[in-house]
Amino acid sequence: MALFTIAEPGQSKPRAPARRKRAVGIDLGTTNSLVAVAKEGKAETLPDAHGRHLLPSIVHYAVDRSIVVGDRAALGDVRADSISSAKRLMGRGIADIDYQLPYELQPAPEGGMPLIKTMQGPVSPVQVSAEILKVLAARGVQALGGELDGAVITVPAYFDEPQRQATRDAARLAGLKVLRLLSEPTAAAVAYGLDTKLEGTIVIYDLGGGTFDVSLMKLKRGVFEVLATGGNAALGGDDFDRAIVRWILEQAQVADVAADEFSILLRIAREAKHVLTDSDATLLSWKGWSGLLTRAIYYTLIDGMVNQTLKACRRVLRDANLDVEAITDVVLVGGSTRSPRVRDKVREFFQREPLCSIDPDSVVALGAALQADVLVGNKYGSDMLLLDVIPLSLGIETMGGLMEKIVPRNTTIPVTRAQEFTTFKDGQTIMSLHVLQGERELVSDCRSLARFELRGIPPMVAGAARVRVSYQVDADGLLEVSAQELTSGVHSSIVVKPSFGLQEKDIETMLLDSQARAQEDKELRSLREKQVEALRHLEALETALRVDGEALLSKDEFARLEQSMTSLRKVLDGTDAALIDKLTHELNDRSTEFAARRMDRGIKAALAGHTLEEIGH
């Protein structure tokens, strides 16, 4: 293999400059999507051949087997058969969809994400998203003059593991190499942090078409650290549109409409919403009905939803132990923040004028492009360091149906955390591991992510095995869990890729429930822990009595121990934690002498047949 190329003086060829790698940032949105590129620290969104930067996130599967994406899918006779807002279905089950859609769903054959009925047959939300990504990627290829080396794709900060994995799957179907999944609020912080050199404590208020995210971020010397996140994965401008549709139906005294007519009403509502951004009223007409929708009426329709976003903002501040006065800037992201009502409410809540100097529709894609340019290897200036956090705690089930948190919520990612556990019974060779997500103390109140087993544990007495359970969350928020018995080295692991995500109500209520029931959960956990400890004592003592009870105890001693065990069993399923604890300690005290005799007997058996000189050696 040649290490050097030698040339005569004056004959060496100039070294070709290294090819600048081609990378894009993609904002895969619920209502609209964009693609952007960055060069030398400056980012710009890419238009289509007609100069349109926004690509409506709409796909039409035509009867002639063609697939239409974007503006054409939203026009004319294809509109009623087009698929919109597929992002809201990503990584979710059919039972999670409790709102009306302008198309029909059917359950997947093996559960998981629902399939969408089209004239070409059923398709998954992942396939729909892949078609949108293909169009955006093609813009990047056209603008950069060649195949892409990678892409950064943004997701809502509140997307859980299944939703993130579904996004990666869509990118793979589109032929894209994913450099990283980047939270939308973090992408916005990248764009504003680089363009205006912000330092301080910043709130990213991101209200898009289908999701709401709020992130509290610390920006200092190029480091973007997310202190806390919150939001609602099923609340956005689409819900504003539906509120207007419901108002129209109520005014027109119509109870319900077919899917194609509902699609037409959504378009009317969306246009009215846009008009009310700059006007005080707009006249609406539909099937012989007409009416005036004023800003005042519109505000009554959406105020409840806007107030929900502010409640999430309040929770995020509380999570970070900060008050409103500590916030230096508020950044508005998402097309729905163009609403004067939203801006007024955000201004009033945070007591400061929100920042919106970058187009709120473009800011996420621009930040993603800047990050993609760095990750693909095109260096400029100083590198950015992004520190995202996980939105909900990750843990494992322990005895008594308890949730043991291993990675607490708001932990910076990527992260690896480990904790040691042990066996509960003598001779136990298999350990079942149940991976959980949530904030409550009991397994029944948390979300199950996955189950797997660790087999081949050497048979030992209870508590002797050392099982190290490791949780690794990568930069995309995807989770891998592994377990290893340390004395033998046996190992097992699982990558958590559940088929569907959190239910809509779970995302909003998990944190609220954990706060509202904190004291109740604390008491329940204490009770379960005392029950588990009592059960461990009972089972260990029962085994010991079967083996050595008659040989080492008198009838009276044996009877007293059995009486104590019976008393403890009677209260074991009750709710008096103090009484269980008291009787457990009494049983432990009464069995101490028996344990000492067993130990003496074991030592004598071990020494039998050996001289003192042998023992000394």
Side-chain angles (χ1 to χ4, degrees):
M1 180 176 68
L3 297 181
F4 299 98
T5 299
I6 302 175
E8 293 297 324
Q11 295 182 357
S12 61
K13 295 181 180 179
R15 185 177 179 180
R19 178 181 74 82
R20 182 177 180 81
K21 292 188 176 180
R22 307 179 185 98
V24 296
I26 294 177
D27 176 9
L28 182 60
T30 306
T31 307
N32 293 296
S33 297
L34 295 97
V35 59
V37 297
K39 294 180 180 179
E40 302 302 325
K42 299 295 182 182
E44 61 180 4
T45 56
L46 301 177
D48 64 9
H50 302 284
R52 298 172 298 210
H53 291 253
L54 288 175
L55 175 72
S57 300
I58 303 175
V59 179
H60 173 66
Y61 291 83
V63 70
D64 63 359
R65 313 303 296 176
S66 65
I67 299 175
V68 182
V69 181
D71 293 277
R72 284 180 56 214
L75 298 174
D77 57 357
V78 303
R79 183 178 58 245
D81 300 309
S82 294
I83 299 169
S84 59
S85 299
K87 180 176 177 178
R88 298 182 83 164
L89 307 177
M90 294 282 278
R92 307 182 64 205
I94 196 166
D96 306 333
I97 314 303
D98 58 1
Y99 48 86
Q100 187 173 3
L101 290 166
Y103 42 81
E104 292 185 58
L105 301 178
Q106 68 181 56
E110 299 179 358
M113 277 180 284
L115 299 177
I116 304 165
K117 294 183 180 180
T118 76
M119 287 185 286
Q120 295 182 23
V123 297
S124 76
V126 169
Q127 290 172 280
V128 177
S129 296
E131 296 299 334
I132 297 168
L133 289 172
K134 286 177 185 177
V135 173
L136 296 172
R139 288 189 192 178
V141 170
Q142 177 71 25
L144 296 174
E147 291 301 312
L148 301 178
D149 294 298
V152 168
I153 302 175
T154 62
V155 294
Y158 236 60
F159 258 28
D160 59 9
E161 285 83 1
Q163 291 166 307
R164 290 169 185 261
Q165 185 58 44
T167 305
R168 290 184 72 94
D169 291 343
R172 189 178 70 252
L173 278 179
L176 283 168
K177 176 186 177 183
V178 179
L179 299 170
R180 183 175 178 185
L181 296 182
L182 186 63
S183 293
E184 291 164 4
T186 307
V190 170
Y192 268 99
L194 291 175
D195 286 1
T196 62
K197 308 299 182 186
L198 285 177
E199 289 195 356
T201 306
I202 298 175
V203 168
I204 311 295
Y205 179 100
D206 184 355
L207 185 59
T211 59
F212 169 68
D213 292 302
V214 57
S215 290
L216 185 58
M217 310 186 74
K218 194 79 173 179
L219 276 66
K220 190 173 184 180
R221 293 190 296 274
V223 177
F224 295 71
E225 181 180 5
V226 182
L227 303 179
T229 65
N232 189 329
L235 174 64
D238 289 353
D239 298 285
F240 293 2
D241 300 340
R242 289 186 176 88
I244 296 174
V245 169
R246 289 193 296 270
W247 179 82
I248 293 172
L249 292 174
E250 182 182 320
Q251 297 301 308
Q253 298 183 350
V254 175
D256 199 8
V257 292
D260 56 347
E261 202 63 41
F262 188 79
S263 179
I264 293 171
L265 282 169
L266 279 176
R267 178 176 54 83
I268 294 171
R270 193 171 297 119
E271 290 172 355
K273 178 181 67 176
H274 294 161
V275 170
L276 291 174
T277 299
D278 302 307
S279 303
D280 291 328
T282 181
L283 183 64
L284 306 183
S285 299
W286 171 69
K287 296 188 73 170
W289 170 87
S290 63
L292 190 69
L293 178 61
T294 65
R295 267 190 180 180
I297 295 174
Y298 175 55
Y299 291 169
T300 64
L301 298 177
I302 68 169
D303 273 356
M305 289 176 277
V306 178
N307 289 337
Q308 284 185 46
T309 69
L310 298 178
K311 287 180 182 178
C313 294
R314 190 173 292 110
R315 286 196 299 274
V316 165
L317 288 171
R318 187 166 59 242
D319 286 345
N321 294 316
L322 294 174
D323 53 28
V324 170
E325 288 72 22
I327 305 304
T328 57
D329 294 278
V330 179
V331 177
L332 297 184
V333 180
S336 298
T337 62
R338 285 193 173 91
S339 166
R341 188 62 161 182
V342 172
R343 294 189 176 186
D344 289 345
K345 288 238 175 202
V346 171
R347 182 187 302 109
E348 179 184 350
F349 180 85
F350 287 104
Q351 302 170 23
R352 66 186 64 254
E353 191 68 32
L355 292 173
C356 47
S357 59
I358 300 178
D359 176 13
D361 278 323
S362 304
V363 64
V364 168
L366 296 175
L370 291 166
Q371 178 66 359
D373 203 40
V374 171
L375 291 178
V376 84
N378 298 327
K379 304 294 183 181
Y380 63 89
S382 59
D383 294 344
M384 294 174 289
L385 178 60
L386 301 175
L387 303 174
D388 271 334
V389 298
I390 60 168
L392 293 170
S393 299
L394 300 168
I396 197 166
E397 178 177 356
T398 59
M399 287 299 298
L402 295 174
M403 156 70 152
E404 182 70 23
K405 295 182 180 69
I406 294 180
V407 186
R409 67 181 297 261
N410 285 331
T411 297
T412 301
I413 60 173
V415 63
T416 298
R417 291 282 176 87
Q419 195 165 322
E420 287 189 15
F421 298 90
T422 190
T423 49
F424 185 77
K425 294 185 177 181
D426 292 344
Q428 183 176 338
T429 60
I430 299 174
M431 180 178 285
S432 296
L433 297 108
H434 186 190
V435 183
L436 301 162
Q437 180 181 44
E439 302 307 315
R440 302 289 296 281
E441 298 295 335
L442 301 186
V443 169
S444 57
D445 296 319
C446 292
R447 181 193 176 220
S448 173
L449 288 182
R451 296 175 186 267
F452 69 108
E453 290 183 341
L454 177 64
R455 293 177 172 268
I457 300 172
M460 301 181 239
V461 297
R466 294 173 56 209
V467 178
R468 184 178 179 85
V469 179
S470 299
Y471 278 47
Q472 180 174 318
V473 185
D474 67 15
D476 295 334
L478 300 176
L479 169 66
E480 180 174 359
V481 182
S482 62
Q484 182 177 28
E485 203 288 308
L486 299 181
T487 59
S488 63
V490 293
H491 178 273
S492 182
S493 65
I494 189 170
V495 177
V496 178
K497 297 179 183 178
S499 58
F500 53 92
L502 288 170
Q503 293 187 17
E504 179 176 326
K505 61 183 179 181
D506 292 336
I507 296 172
E508 181 66 20
T509 61
M510 268 187 166
L511 298 180
L512 288 175
D513 284 349
S514 69
Q515 294 161 4
R517 301 184 181 182
Q519 185 59 35
E520 175 188 342
D521 283 357
K522 182 180 178 182
E523 293 171 359
L524 278 172
R525 184 178 187 92
S526 176
L527 172 63
R528 293 288 179 88
E529 287 174 341
K530 287 176 170 53
Q531 288 172 331
V532 169
E533 182 67 12
L535 187 60
R536 187 178 69 81
H537 276 288
L538 285 169
E539 291 193 355
L541 187 52
E542 284 170 352
T543 301
L545 286 175
R546 281 197 303 269
V547 176
D548 294 322
E550 292 184 2
L552 298 178
L553 294 172
S554 67
K555 289 185 178 180
D556 287 344
E557 289 172 328
F558 198 106
R560 283 197 296 272
L561 280 179
E562 282 199 320
Q563 182 182 4
S564 291
M565 292 167 69
T566 300
S567 298
L568 181 54
R569 286 194 196 97
K570 286 181 179 178
V571 302
L572 194 57
D573 292 330
T575 59
D576 192 338
L579 180 58
I580 295 172
D581 190 46
K582 176 176 176 289
L583 294 179
T584 302
H585 279 89
E586 287 181 1
L587 179 62
N588 187 49
D589 292 341
R590 288 187 179 183
S591 62
T592 300
E593 177 60 27
F594 176 44
R597 292 176 192 176
R598 293 191 77 210
M599 185 177 293
D600 289 343
R601 183 178 182 178
I603 293 173
K604 288 177 181 178
L607 297 180
H610 296 281
T611 65
L612 289 174
E613 184 176 335
E614 288 174 331
I615 296 169
H617 289 290

mmCIF file of all heavy atoms in Angstrom, residues 469-502:
data_model
loop_
_atom_site.group_PDB
_atom_site.id
_atom_site.type_symbol
_atom_site.label_atom_id
_atom_site.label_comp_id
_atom_site.label_asym_id
_atom_site.label_seq_id
_atom_site.Cartn_x
_atom_site.Cartn_y
_atom_site.Cartn_z
ATOM 1 N N VAL A 469 -28.280 -3.599 35.687
ATOM 2 C CA VAL A 469 -29.202 -3.201 34.630
ATOM 3 C C VAL A 469 -28.798 -1.814 34.131
ATOM 4 O O VAL A 469 -28.706 -0.867 34.926
ATOM 5 C CB VAL A 469 -30.659 -3.185 35.134
ATOM 6 C CG1 VAL A 469 -31.602 -2.740 34.017
ATOM 7 C CG2 VAL A 469 -31.063 -4.566 35.636
ATOM 8 N N SER A 470 -28.533 -1.710 32.834
ATOM 9 C CA SER A 470 -28.057 -0.451 32.244
ATOM 10 C C SER A 470 -29.095 0.100 31.267
ATOM 11 O O SER A 470 -29.649 -0.651 30.455
ATOM 12 C CB SER A 470 -26.737 -0.672 31.503
ATOM 13 O OG SER A 470 -25.737 -1.139 32.382
ATOM 14 N N TYR A 471 -29.316 1.395 31.366
ATOM 15 C CA TYR A 471 -30.203 2.110 30.442
ATOM 16 C C TYR A 471 -29.359 3.084 29.640
ATOM 17 O O TYR A 471 -28.648 3.906 30.221
ATOM 18 C CB TYR A 471 -31.275 2.887 31.204
ATOM 19 C CG TYR A 471 -32.463 2.077 31.650
ATOM 20 C CD1 TYR A 471 -32.313 0.859 32.272
ATOM 21 C CD2 TYR A 471 -33.764 2.536 31.446
ATOM 22 C CE1 TYR A 471 -33.392 0.105 32.684
ATOM 23 C CE2 TYR A 471 -34.862 1.794 31.853
ATOM 24 C CZ TYR A 471 -34.661 0.581 32.471
ATOM 25 O OH TYR A 471 -35.738 -0.150 32.872
ATOM 26 N N GLN A 472 -29.442 2.994 28.320
ATOM 27 C CA GLN A 472 -28.701 3.912 27.461
ATOM 28 C C GLN A 472 -29.675 4.613 26.532
ATOM 29 O O GLN A 472 -30.363 3.968 25.735
ATOM 30 C CB GLN A 472 -27.653 3.163 26.645
ATOM 31 C CG GLN A 472 -26.842 4.081 25.727
ATOM 32 C CD GLN A 472 -25.719 3.337 25.035
ATOM 33 O OE1 GLN A 472 -25.040 2.523 25.633
ATOM 34 N NE2 GLN A 472 -25.535 3.611 23.754
ATOM 35 N N VAL A 473 -29.754 5.930 26.640
ATOM 36 C CA VAL A 473 -30.608 6.732 25.768
ATOM 37 C C VAL A 473 -29.693 7.510 24.833
ATOM 38 O O VAL A 473 -28.824 8.261 25.299
ATOM 39 C CB VAL A 473 -31.494 7.713 26.577
ATOM 40 C CG1 VAL A 473 -32.447 8.450 25.646
ATOM 41 C CG2 VAL A 473 -32.274 6.963 27.647
ATOM 42 N N ASP A 474 -29.855 7.310 23.521
ATOM 43 C CA ASP A 474 -28.956 7.977 22.580
ATOM 44 C C ASP A 474 -29.441 9.394 22.285
ATOM 45 O O ASP A 474 -30.427 9.863 22.847
ATOM 46 C CB ASP A 474 -28.785 7.150 21.294
ATOM 47 C CG ASP A 474 -30.053 7.050 20.456
ATOM 48 O OD1 ASP A 474 -31.003 7.836 20.690
ATOM 49 O OD2 ASP A 474 -30.099 6.203 19.556
ATOM 50 N N ALA A 475 -28.717 10.072 21.405
ATOM 51 C CA ALA A 475 -29.019 11.478 21.121
ATOM 52 C C ALA A 475 -30.384 11.659 20.466
ATOM 53 O O ALA A 475 -30.939 12.755 20.476
ATOM 54 C CB ALA A 475 -27.929 12.077 20.213
ATOM 55 N N ASP A 476 -30.946 10.582 19.897
ATOM 56 C CA ASP A 476 -32.273 10.656 19.291
ATOM 57 C C ASP A 476 -33.381 10.363 20.289
ATOM 58 O O ASP A 476 -34.558 10.373 19.936
ATOM 59 C CB ASP A 476 -32.390 9.657 18.131
ATOM 60 C CG ASP A 476 -31.455 10.001 16.980
ATOM 61 O OD1 ASP A 476 -31.120 11.194 16.851
ATOM 62 O OD2 ASP A 476 -31.071 9.099 16.235
ATOM 63 N N GLY A 477 -33.015 10.048 21.535
ATOM 64 C CA GLY A 477 -34.016 9.717 22.525
ATOM 65 C C GLY A 477 -34.468 8.272 22.471
ATOM 66 O O GLY A 477 -35.473 7.906 23.065
ATOM 67 N N LEU A 478 -33.725 7.406 21.760
ATOM 68 C CA LEU A 478 -34.074 5.996 21.665
ATOM 69 C C LEU A 478 -33.360 5.219 22.765
ATOM 70 O O LEU A 478 -32.218 5.510 23.113
ATOM 71 C CB LEU A 478 -33.699 5.443 20.290
ATOM 72 C CG LEU A 478 -34.386 6.143 19.115
ATOM 73 C CD1 LEU A 478 -33.879 5.584 17.799
ATOM 74 C CD2 LEU A 478 -35.901 5.978 19.206
ATOM 75 N N LEU A 479 -34.029 4.205 23.290
ATOM 76 C CA LEU A 479 -33.595 3.535 24.518
ATOM 77 C C LEU A 479 -33.139 2.103 24.258
ATOM 78 O O LEU A 479 -33.807 1.341 23.565
ATOM 79 C CB LEU A 479 -34.762 3.530 25.517
ATOM 80 C CG LEU A 479 -34.620 2.666 26.778
ATOM 81 C CD1 LEU A 479 -33.514 3.197 27.669
ATOM 82 C CD2 LEU A 479 -35.943 2.636 27.534
ATOM 83 N N GLU A 480 -31.989 1.741 24.853
ATOM 84 C CA GLU A 480 -31.540 0.353 24.884
ATOM 85 C C GLU A 480 -31.322 -0.042 26.344
ATOM 86 O O GLU A 480 -30.678 0.680 27.107
ATOM 87 C CB GLU A 480 -30.247 0.150 24.096
ATOM 88 C CG GLU A 480 -29.763 -1.293 24.120
ATOM 89 C CD GLU A 480 -28.556 -1.553 23.240
ATOM 90 O OE1 GLU A 480 -28.099 -0.602 22.580
ATOM 91 O OE2 GLU A 480 -28.074 -2.708 23.223
ATOM 92 N N VAL A 481 -31.857 -1.198 26.724
ATOM 93 C CA VAL A 481 -31.738 -1.680 28.093
ATOM 94 C C VAL A 481 -30.990 -3.005 28.070
ATOM 95 O O VAL A 481 -31.292 -3.883 27.262
ATOM 96 C CB VAL A 481 -33.123 -1.886 28.746
ATOM 97 C CG1 VAL A 481 -32.969 -2.335 30.196
ATOM 98 C CG2 VAL A 481 -33.933 -0.600 28.692
ATOM 99 N N SER A 482 -30.011 -3.151 28.953
ATOM 100 C CA SER A 482 -29.262 -4.407 29.035
ATOM 101 C C SER A 482 -29.148 -4.837 30.490
ATOM 102 O O SER A 482 -29.226 -4.014 31.404
ATOM 103 C CB SER A 482 -27.859 -4.247 28.424
ATOM 104 O OG SER A 482 -27.114 -3.290 29.142
ATOM 105 N N ALA A 483 -28.985 -6.144 30.688
ATOM 106 C CA ALA A 483 -28.837 -6.700 32.037
ATOM 107 C C ALA A 483 -27.709 -7.715 32.022
ATOM 108 O O ALA A 483 -27.605 -8.528 31.089
ATOM 109 C CB ALA A 483 -30.138 -7.347 32.499
ATOM 110 N N GLN A 484 -26.862 -7.686 33.050
ATOM 111 C CA GLN A 484 -25.746 -8.625 33.135
ATOM 112 C C GLN A 484 -25.564 -9.079 34.579
ATOM 113 O O GLN A 484 -25.558 -8.258 35.503
ATOM 114 C CB GLN A 484 -24.455 -7.993 32.636
ATOM 115 C CG GLN A 484 -23.263 -8.959 32.655
ATOM 116 C CD GLN A 484 -22.003 -8.336 32.081
ATOM 117 O OE1 GLN A 484 -21.829 -7.124 32.134
ATOM 118 N NE2 GLN A 484 -21.117 -9.149 31.547
ATOM 119 N N GLU A 485 -25.460 -10.418 34.761
ATOM 120 C CA GLU A 485 -25.143 -10.958 36.084
ATOM 121 C C GLU A 485 -23.625 -10.917 36.218
ATOM 122 O O GLU A 485 -22.900 -11.540 35.443
ATOM 123 C CB GLU A 485 -25.675 -12.389 36.214
ATOM 124 C CG GLU A 485 -25.896 -12.823 37.654
ATOM 125 C CD GLU A 485 -24.596 -13.058 38.403
ATOM 126 O OE1 GLU A 485 -23.757 -13.812 37.884
ATOM 127 O OE2 GLU A 485 -24.421 -12.481 39.496
ATOM 128 N N LEU A 486 -23.127 -10.186 37.205
ATOM 129 C CA LEU A 486 -21.710 -9.830 37.233
ATOM 130 C C LEU A 486 -20.798 -10.990 37.602
ATOM 131 O O LEU A 486 -19.640 -11.015 37.176
ATOM 132 C CB LEU A 486 -21.497 -8.661 38.208
ATOM 133 C CG LEU A 486 -22.247 -7.372 37.841
ATOM 134 C CD1 LEU A 486 -21.955 -6.279 38.858
ATOM 135 C CD2 LEU A 486 -21.871 -6.901 36.441
ATOM 136 N N THR A 487 -21.253 -11.954 38.385
ATOM 137 C CA THR A 487 -20.356 -13.051 38.774
ATOM 138 C C THR A 487 -20.148 -14.051 37.641
ATOM 139 O O THR A 487 -19.084 -14.637 37.506
ATOM 140 C CB THR A 487 -20.905 -13.790 40.009
ATOM 141 O OG1 THR A 487 -22.209 -14.308 39.701
ATOM 142 C CG2 THR A 487 -21.006 -12.840 41.197
ATOM 143 N N SER A 488 -21.179 -14.228 36.796
ATOM 144 C CA SER A 488 -21.083 -15.209 35.716
ATOM 145 C C SER A 488 -20.879 -14.578 34.347
ATOM 146 O O SER A 488 -20.391 -15.223 33.424
ATOM 147 C CB SER A 488 -22.356 -16.061 35.671
ATOM 148 O OG SER A 488 -23.478 -15.242 35.377
ATOM 149 N N GLY A 489 -21.294 -13.314 34.202
ATOM 150 C CA GLY A 489 -21.168 -12.628 32.923
ATOM 151 C C GLY A 489 -22.317 -12.839 31.972
ATOM 152 O O GLY A 489 -22.294 -12.308 30.847
ATOM 153 N N VAL A 490 -23.347 -13.622 32.359
ATOM 154 C CA VAL A 490 -24.482 -13.819 31.449
ATOM 155 C C VAL A 490 -25.135 -12.468 31.175
ATOM 156 O O VAL A 490 -25.234 -11.607 32.051
ATOM 157 C CB VAL A 490 -25.511 -14.818 32.023
ATOM 158 C CG1 VAL A 490 -24.909 -16.207 32.083
ATOM 159 C CG2 VAL A 490 -26.036 -14.383 33.365
ATOM 160 N N HIS A 491 -25.607 -12.295 29.921
ATOM 161 C CA HIS A 491 -26.030 -10.961 29.471
ATOM 162 C C HIS A 491 -27.269 -11.073 28.603
ATOM 163 O O HIS A 491 -27.461 -12.055 27.880
ATOM 164 C CB HIS A 491 -24.884 -10.321 28.674
ATOM 165 C CG HIS A 491 -25.195 -8.972 28.116
ATOM 166 N ND1 HIS A 491 -25.802 -8.797 26.883
ATOM 167 C CD2 HIS A 491 -24.991 -7.724 28.621
ATOM 168 C CE1 HIS A 491 -25.942 -7.497 26.658
ATOM 169 N NE2 HIS A 491 -25.465 -6.833 27.687
ATOM 170 N N SER A 492 -28.117 -10.051 28.665
ATOM 171 C CA SER A 492 -29.282 -9.954 27.806
ATOM 172 C C SER A 492 -29.592 -8.483 27.598
ATOM 173 O O SER A 492 -29.300 -7.648 28.464
ATOM 174 C CB SER A 492 -30.488 -10.669 28.422
ATOM 175 O OG SER A 492 -31.602 -10.616 27.553
ATOM 176 N N SER A 493 -30.191 -8.143 26.440
ATOM 177 C CA SER A 493 -30.509 -6.734 26.194
ATOM 178 C C SER A 493 -31.691 -6.637 25.246
ATOM 179 O O SER A 493 -32.083 -7.612 24.598
ATOM 180 C CB SER A 493 -29.304 -5.994 25.597
ATOM 181 O OG SER A 493 -28.992 -6.500 24.319
ATOM 182 N N ILE A 494 -32.241 -5.433 25.163
ATOM 183 C CA ILE A 494 -33.361 -5.171 24.264
ATOM 184 C C ILE A 494 -33.310 -3.712 23.856
ATOM 185 O O ILE A 494 -32.961 -2.844 24.655
ATOM 186 C CB ILE A 494 -34.713 -5.505 24.941
ATOM 187 C CG1 ILE A 494 -35.854 -5.435 23.922
ATOM 188 C CG2 ILE A 494 -34.994 -4.586 26.110
ATOM 189 C CD1 ILE A 494 -37.173 -5.992 24.452
ATOM 190 N N VAL A 495 -33.596 -3.446 22.576
ATOM 191 C CA VAL A 495 -33.774 -2.081 22.094
ATOM 192 C C VAL A 495 -35.268 -1.805 22.105
ATOM 193 O O VAL A 495 -36.050 -2.561 21.529
ATOM 194 C CB VAL A 495 -33.205 -1.892 20.673
ATOM 195 C CG1 VAL A 495 -33.485 -0.477 20.165
ATOM 196 C CG2 VAL A 495 -31.708 -2.164 20.677
ATOM 197 N N VAL A 496 -35.662 -0.759 22.798
ATOM 198 C CA VAL A 496 -37.080 -0.497 22.985
ATOM 199 C C VAL A 496 -37.649 0.168 21.743
ATOM 200 O O VAL A 496 -37.365 1.325 21.454
ATOM 201 C CB VAL A 496 -37.316 0.369 24.238
ATOM 202 C CG1 VAL A 496 -38.798 0.675 24.400
ATOM 203 C CG2 VAL A 496 -36.787 -0.340 25.471
ATOM 204 N N LYS A 497 -38.438 -0.613 21.003
ATOM 205 C CA LYS A 497 -39.111 -0.106 19.806
ATOM 206 C C LYS A 497 -40.571 -0.551 19.859
ATOM 207 O O LYS A 497 -41.006 -1.391 19.070
ATOM 208 C CB LYS A 497 -38.458 -0.642 18.529
ATOM 209 C CG LYS A 497 -37.011 -0.193 18.345
ATOM 210 C CD LYS A 497 -36.446 -0.785 17.070
ATOM 211 C CE LYS A 497 -34.981 -0.403 16.894
ATOM 212 N NZ LYS A 497 -34.404 -1.010 15.682
ATOM 213 N N PRO A 498 -41.356 -0.040 20.809
ATOM 214 C CA PRO A 498 -42.759 -0.447 20.874
ATOM 215 C C PRO A 498 -43.497 -0.034 19.604
ATOM 216 O O PRO A 498 -43.082 0.860 18.886
ATOM 217 C CB PRO A 498 -43.308 0.322 22.091
ATOM 218 C CG PRO A 498 -42.090 0.769 22.842
ATOM 219 C CD PRO A 498 -41.016 0.935 21.830
ATOM 220 N N SER A 499 -44.642 -0.675 19.357
ATOM 221 C CA SER A 499 -45.347 -0.455 18.096
ATOM 222 C C SER A 499 -46.182 0.806 18.093
ATOM 223 O O SER A 499 -46.595 1.267 17.052
ATOM 224 C CB SER A 499 -46.231 -1.659 17.782
ATOM 225 O OG SER A 499 -47.146 -1.881 18.846
ATOM 226 N N PHE A 500 -46.476 1.354 19.246
ATOM 227 C CA PHE A 500 -47.234 2.604 19.251
ATOM 228 C C PHE A 500 -46.939 3.379 20.521
ATOM 229 O O PHE A 500 -46.421 2.841 21.489
ATOM 230 C CB PHE A 500 -48.738 2.362 19.095
ATOM 231 C CG PHE A 500 -49.308 1.396 20.088
ATOM 232 C CD1 PHE A 500 -49.832 1.836 21.280
ATOM 233 C CD2 PHE A 500 -49.322 0.048 19.810
ATOM 234 C CE1 PHE A 500 -50.367 0.951 22.182
ATOM 235 C CE2 PHE A 500 -49.865 -0.847 20.717
ATOM 236 C CZ PHE A 500 -50.384 -0.396 21.905
ATOM 237 N N GLY A 501 -47.270 4.676 20.491
ATOM 238 C CA GLY A 501 -46.830 5.583 21.541
ATOM 239 C C GLY A 501 -47.841 5.811 22.645
ATOM 240 O O GLY A 501 -48.838 5.117 22.785
ATOM 241 N N LEU A 502 -47.543 6.791 23.449
ATOM 242 C CA LEU A 502 -48.418 7.149 24.550
ATOM 243 C C LEU A 502 -49.772 7.608 24.042
ATOM 244 O O LEU A 502 -49.877 8.229 22.997
ATOM 245 C CB LEU A 502 -47.789 8.297 25.354
ATOM 246 C CG LEU A 502 -46.574 7.957 26.203
ATOM 247 C CD1 LEU A 502 -45.955 9.243 26.710
ATOM 248 C CD2 LEU A 502 -46.944 7.069 27.351
#
